[in-house]
Structure formats: C-alpha cells, structure tokens
Amino acid sequence: MTQIKIIAYVFVAYMIALVYGKIVAPLASKKYVKFSPYLLTVVEGENVALPLYLSIVGTSSNTVIYDIAGTVTCFIIFPILIAKESSSATSTKELVKSIFSNSFVIAVIIGLALNLTGVYSYLLASPLGDTITATFSQVTTPIVSMILFCLGYDLNIDKNTLGPILKLIGMKLVAGVAIIVGFFILFPDLMADKTYMMAPILYFTAPTGFGLMPVIEPLYENEDDGAFTSAFVLLFIIVSLIVYTLVVLFIA
C-alpha cells in the first residue's frame, strides 16, 4: 500500500510541477515557453540518480518505484497533452499505438509483470541470478556515456541561452526540493531511515529525464529548441553532482 501511495504522490507531484512550469517558465524565457514547462517535471532516475544512489548504499531498489510514476507521466500522459498542444493530426488509435509501443512503457510493463508474478525474484535466487545481474550491468554501463555524448555533441551555449537555462535550472530545483519536502511530510517513517532518505534527495535533484526529449520534440519550432533542451539537461547534471557531494559529506 505504501508503494502505491508513493507512486500516486510522485505522479501528482509531476502534474503539479507541470502546472507550476506553465506559470513560471515564461519568466525564464518566452522563446522556449512551449516546451520548457515539461523540463521541470520528470527526472533521469535510471541513468543518473540510481547510479549516484547505488554508489553510496551499494544495492537498493528504492528509486525504482519513482520510475513507474515517471514513465506513466512521460510516456502516457505527456504524449496526449503534447498532441493537443501541437495541434497534431494524430488519431487516437495512432496515439495509443505509439504509447504502448514505446520501449520505456514496454519495459515497465514487463518489469511489473515479472515482479508481481514473482518470476524476477525466482530468477535472481536461481543459479542464473549472478549471471543475469552481471549481464544487465554490462549492457547498461555504456548507456550513460552514450546518452551524454549524444546530448553534448551539439552543445551550444551562449549569452542569450545561458540566462534562461540558469533561471530554468533554479525553477526545476525549487520543484525538486518541494517534492522532497513532501516525502518528509507524507512518509516520515521512511524518511527517518537515512538510507531511504538519500533516495528521494538524489532522485528529485537529478536532471530532466533523457526520454522526455523525443516526447517534446513536436513542440520544437527549430533546431535551436533542441539545442536549448540538451544544454539545460547537461548543465543540470552539475547541480546533481553538487547535491550528491553534499549528501556524501553530510548524510551518508
């Protein structure tokens, strides 16, 4: 029941963050206002927050539950909202097909099925458990470097974009801190555990989810919009690393 409450809370928090973004994003820059509110919502848990968290605690699945809410938000709710905002002619059938053919959504559905049926636990406890874990590690380790390379390949920051990016970073940080405070209020017992407490702190100060970028592309007006998004995500990683350092120094 607690896990369901956490998923619901994170989902609602992302929706509120989007509304918050619609209100404050124009203050950062009206030029990027069509898509910038979405940048204040979902975060990159799997490739940024989780590795940072695991580097401190060793082994844990605490952040995975947040990913479920993020996947539903980013790959089911947002495509519907963006299709309406971009005046897309996409039919309902095509939209549903695109949602449930998305690799992130498929991965979450399969993951939930394996966990709910107990198959995943059985496989990890079997003689193949170590092999499965090692294989996943080998496959996913290069992904972070590849994604960061793709993001930074066309990195272009100048005096015209740096200001709006820094303002937007501040706005996203405010949203992340608000979500973390919500955890302290709604789940005080969990947050009393230092090991758990570090999970939402690192997770919700992570950069915008890498998977969001192709989702918001229909809102781009030119290539500059995509470059702005990439620059924003890369610079926010610096914020994540600063938070990580503070967590290691004062909490871990």
Side-chain angles (χ1 to χ4, degrees):
M1 181 61 75
T2 299
Q3 291 182 332
I4 295 175
K5 289 180 180 178
I6 291 173
I7 294 172
Y9 166 65
V10 175
F11 174 76
V12 171
Y14 282 149
M15 293 297 99
I16 294 175
L18 179 61
V19 175
Y20 159 74
K22 297 281 188 181
I23 296 171
V24 302
L27 301 177
S29 175
K30 293 183 179 180
K31 181 179 179 181
Y32 307 107
V33 74
K34 287 190 69 175
F35 62 87
S36 57
Y38 290 94
L39 299 178
L40 306 185
T41 59
V42 295
V43 303
E44 183 52 48
E46 199 67 25
N47 294 305
V48 177
L50 181 59
L52 293 178
Y53 181 56
L54 294 183
S55 72
I56 300 174
V57 304
T59 303
S60 174
S61 60
N62 285 334
T63 65
V64 174
I65 199 74
Y66 313 148
D67 286 335
I68 296 175
T71 299
V72 171
T73 303
C74 183
F75 301 109
I76 296 180
I77 303 300
F78 284 176
I80 296 173
L81 296 178
I82 289 170
K84 293 180 179 179
E85 288 186 35
S86 62
S87 300
S88 172
T90 305
S91 67
T92 302
K93 182 179 178 180
E94 292 173 332
L95 187 59
V96 171
K97 182 180 178 180
S98 67
I99 289 172
F100 289 99
S101 62
N102 185 286
S103 58
F104 285 87
V105 176
I106 293 172
V108 168
I109 292 173
I110 293 174
L112 285 173
L114 291 175
N115 276 281
L116 292 174
T117 58
V119 173
Y120 184 66
S121 298
Y122 172 78
L123 289 174
L124 288 184
S126 72
L128 295 174
D130 291 339
T131 303
I132 293 171
T133 302
T135 301
F136 283 160
S137 178
Q138 289 180 346
V139 170
T140 57
T141 297
I143 292 177
V144 179
S145 299
M146 249 170 146
I147 292 173
L148 292 178
F149 173 78
C150 292
L151 285 171
Y153 179 74
D154 192 31
L155 182 62
N156 182 21
I157 301 175
D158 55 37
K159 63 180 181 180
N160 294 322
T161 58
L162 182 59
I165 287 174
L166 293 178
K167 290 177 183 177
L168 211 59
I169 284 176
M171 293 170 181
K172 183 171 178 59
L173 193 56
V174 168
V177 169
I179 295 174
I180 294 167
V181 170
F183 269 89
F184 279 101
I185 296 172
L186 298 175
F187 309 102
D189 293 339
L190 290 176
M191 297 298 280
D193 179 357
K194 184 173 68 173
T195 299
Y196 185 90
M197 178 176 62
M198 291 185 289
I201 290 176
L202 291 173
Y203 191 93
F204 294 104
T205 53
T208 300
F210 300 154
L212 177 67
M213 285 182 280
V215 174
I216 63 175
E217 275 185 3
L219 298 177
Y220 291 169
E221 295 182 351
N222 48 54
E223 292 183 359
D224 179 55
D225 290 346
F228 177 87
T229 300
S230 296
F232 170 78
V233 172
L234 281 172
L235 287 183
F236 202 95
I237 291 177
I238 298 174
V239 175
S240 302
L241 294 176
I242 293 173
V243 173
Y244 170 75
T245 302
L246 295 174
V247 168
V248 170
L249 290 175
F250 299 107
I251 300 179

